[in-house]
Amino acid sequence: MRRFEQSIDRTILEGTYIVARLDGHGFSRLTEKEWSLEKPFDIRFHEAMTATLKHLMLCGFHTMYGYTQSDEISLLFHLDEDRFGRKERKLISILSAEASVAFSTHIGHMAVFDCRLVPLPNIDYVIDYFRWRQEDSHRNSLNAHCYWLFRKEGISASNVQKRIAGLSIEERNELLFSHGINYNDLPMWQRRGIGAYFIDKEKVGYNPVTKAQNVCVRRSLFVENELPIGEEYADFIQSLIKKNSHARQ
Ligand SMILES: Nc1nc2c(ncn2[C@@H]2O[C@H](COP(=O)(O)OP(=O)(O)O)[C@@H](O)[C@H]2O)c(=O)[nH]1
Ligand SMILES: [Mg+2]
């Protein structure tokens, strides 16, 4: 029986960066029809995603960076992550379960996340990956604001799609501007997504036995709400990876 059970076991090769991307399953319908949320973006939804991201980074894996935009989360694992022997199906099933439970608990509705693993051979690909997701965030949020602008005017979903399909980024910006929305003034979490990483903080304590002060270093999770973009974002990801290649959690 073991041979059957293990016949589709795969492991992610050592020395390869692992990124896991979790995505809310069927969230277009749930966010539009089932849950009463502000459209296109709702701070309560975003807070539930941030809480889920934090949970994923604190639930026993060795992660170095987490990123969330819309209904998706990307997690970058430390190169020496060896939980479950880097078995693909264990990582996928545990991560999607952890995300689903954390998000459902926070938002108060049952919700499910899928998960895929993206093995990346070097730092350059990791940087490209995160730039790609951030650019996706920009495209999606611009699209969502244009879409809901018309939907709120009572235009049907299919007609809205026809009206905005084929518009360039500039034209979408102008469309919003002509309706009193300056895209660049919208909250950064909507336009760029947010990131999370660990920082070391020094804490001064007092030892009552030796009657001496001691300094210890505490690791805490920091949420960056104002991520840079483009080359600056690339530098940000690169320095995070470099810093983490020396430190072990
Ligand atoms: N109302 C609302 N919807 C959101 C928010 N964030 C993401 N969504 C929606 O979540 C959906 C995510 O897209 P996608 O993953 O492609 O759709 P899925 O395959 O149905 O989960 C989109 O329809 C977004 O508009 C939010 O803050 N508020
Ligand atoms: Mg989704």
Side-chain angles (χ1 to χ4, degrees), residues 212-226:
Q213 274 194 343
N214 52 16
V215 180
C216 59
V217 177
R218 289 263 166 83
R219 258 186 138 222
S220 62
L221 189 58
F222 175 74
V223 174
E224 179 55 84
N225 289 304
E226 298 191 3

Side-chain angles (χ1 to χ4, degrees), residues 35-180:
W35 307 335
S36 43
L37 293 176
E38 303 266 339
K39 280 125 186 149
F41 289 97
D42 190 309
I43 188 72
R44 291 164 298 171
F45 181 89
H46 173 62
E47 281 168 1
M49 289 301 296
T50 307
T52 307
L53 171 66
K54 284 175 158 173
H55 173 76
L56 288 169
M57 293 185 79
L58 295 169
C59 71
F61 292 95
H62 191 197
T63 53
M64 51 175 138
Y65 182 56
Y67 172 76
T68 181
Q69 56 112 348
S70 183
D71 70 334
E72 70 169 57
I73 291 172
S74 293
L75 295 173
L76 171 64
F77 291 86
H78 203 286
L79 257 191
D80 66 10
E81 174 63 83
D82 56 4
R83 214 169 164 206
F84 309 121
R86 293 167 76 87
K87 276 202 184 93
E88 187 184 306
R89 64 180 183 185
K90 277 294 253 193
L91 291 168
I92 286 177
S93 54
I94 298 291
L95 286 165
S96 47
E98 293 279 4
S100 305
V101 171
F103 183 85
S104 302
T105 308
H106 204 279
I107 203 118
H109 299 282
M110 260 208 320
V112 164
F113 281 76
D114 68 27
C115 177
R116 73 199 66 190
L117 298 183
V118 188
L120 296 163
N122 60 41
I123 294 182
D124 290 339
Y125 281 109
V126 174
I127 293 170
D128 279 355
Y129 173 88
F130 282 100
R131 285 186 69 169
W132 171 49
R133 296 327 298 156
Q134 198 188 47
E135 280 156 22
D136 186 79
S137 156
H138 175 232
R139 259 193 315 275
N140 278 343
S141 65
L142 192 56
N143 188 51
H145 275 284
C146 293
Y147 176 85
W148 282 104
L149 188 77
F150 287 130
R151 287 299 308 278
K152 285 175 184 173
E153 288 179 357
I155 301 169
S156 73
S158 58
N159 279 336
V160 172
Q161 293 296 7
K162 277 187 214 142
R163 281 175 82 156
I164 58 176
L167 292 184
S168 68
I169 288 185
E170 289 74 32
E171 286 166 336
R172 283 167 199 242
N173 272 296
E174 279 162 22
L175 173 72
L176 291 179
F177 198 71
S178 67
H179 286 77

Side-chain angles (χ1 to χ4, degrees), residues 62-65 78-80 197-198 219 238-249:
H62 191 197
T63 53
M64 51 175 138
Y65 182 56
H78 203 286
L79 257 191
D80 66 10
Y197 56 94
F198 293 95
R219 258 186 138 222
Q238 180 154 40
S239 69
L240 206 62
I241 297 172
K242 292 235 161 99
K243 220 183 290 162
N244 272 275
S245 58
H246 305 300
R248 167 86 219 195
Q249 200 167 340

Side-chain angles (χ1 to χ4, degrees), residues 23-27 71:
D23 187 288
H25 174 64
F27 274 32
D71 70 334

